[in-house]
Amino acid sequence: MPRPVMMPMVRGELVGLVWVRPLKVGQDALAGIAELANIAAAAGADEVVLAGTHDVATACELPIAGPAPCLNMVLAPRGGHVLHQFPYSEQLLSRSPEGWASVAPDWRPAPAPQPGGEPVPPIRPR
């Protein structure tokens, strides 16, 4: 699965594209994802797009909420956020002799975007 990615923007212009560093399950995953906020702050971002899959919840040892598997995208301007969910199933394309699988998403109907009235709270390691 792809690692979570953050796209900080300033006045509607993309100023960065950052993938989270390799993570270990648990506290390290929480800290690694929270570190993305430092990059947005350094760029002076006034809006952030964050994308990841349900694997983020698994890595952070949090319950999976909503459809899974699913690509989750959060659009977070100042003053609020909107969660967009894009559920899919995986179609096996091929398997290597070493056992690696190549899969393609089969996109399912997406639920309505879920607006939130408050900014996304920072993730704080326990």
Side-chain angles (χ1 to χ4, degrees), residues 4-5 30 39 47 49 55 64 67 70 94 101 110 112-113 117 119 123-124:
V5 62
L30 287 167
I39 295 164
E47 189 170 12
V49 176
D55 291 332
I64 295 173
C70 186
S94 65
I123 298 174
R124 301 204 193 294

Side-chain angles (χ1 to χ4, degrees), residues 89-116:
S89 61
E90 295 175 346
Q91 301 242 330
L92 180 63
L93 299 176
S94 65
R95 190 172 294 280
S96 74
E98 296 82 24
W100 293 99
S102 245
V103 297
D106 180 15
W107 299 104
R108 303 292 184 206
Q114 301 171 31

Side-chain angles (χ1 to χ4, degrees), residues 19-118:
W19 281 267
V20 72
R21 63 177 169 75
L23 304 171
K24 295 178 185 168
V25 172
Q27 293 301 308
D28 184 60
L30 287 167
I33 293 167
E35 288 167 0
L36 291 176
N38 295 334
I39 295 164
D46 56 14
E47 189 170 12
V48 173
V49 176
L50 180 65
T53 66
H54 60 284
D55 291 332
V56 171
T58 302
C60 293
E61 298 179 320
L62 300 170
I64 295 173
C70 186
L71 172 63
N72 297 298
M73 295 184 72
V74 176
L75 175 61
R78 291 178 195 246
H81 66 279
V82 178
L83 170 64
H84 298 268
Q85 295 182 302
F86 303 97
Y88 63 91
S89 61
E90 295 175 346
Q91 301 242 330
L92 180 63
L93 299 176
S94 65
R95 190 172 294 280
S96 74
E98 296 82 24
W100 293 99
S102 245
V103 297
D106 180 15
W107 299 104
R108 303 292 184 206
Q114 301 171 31
E118 297 296 319

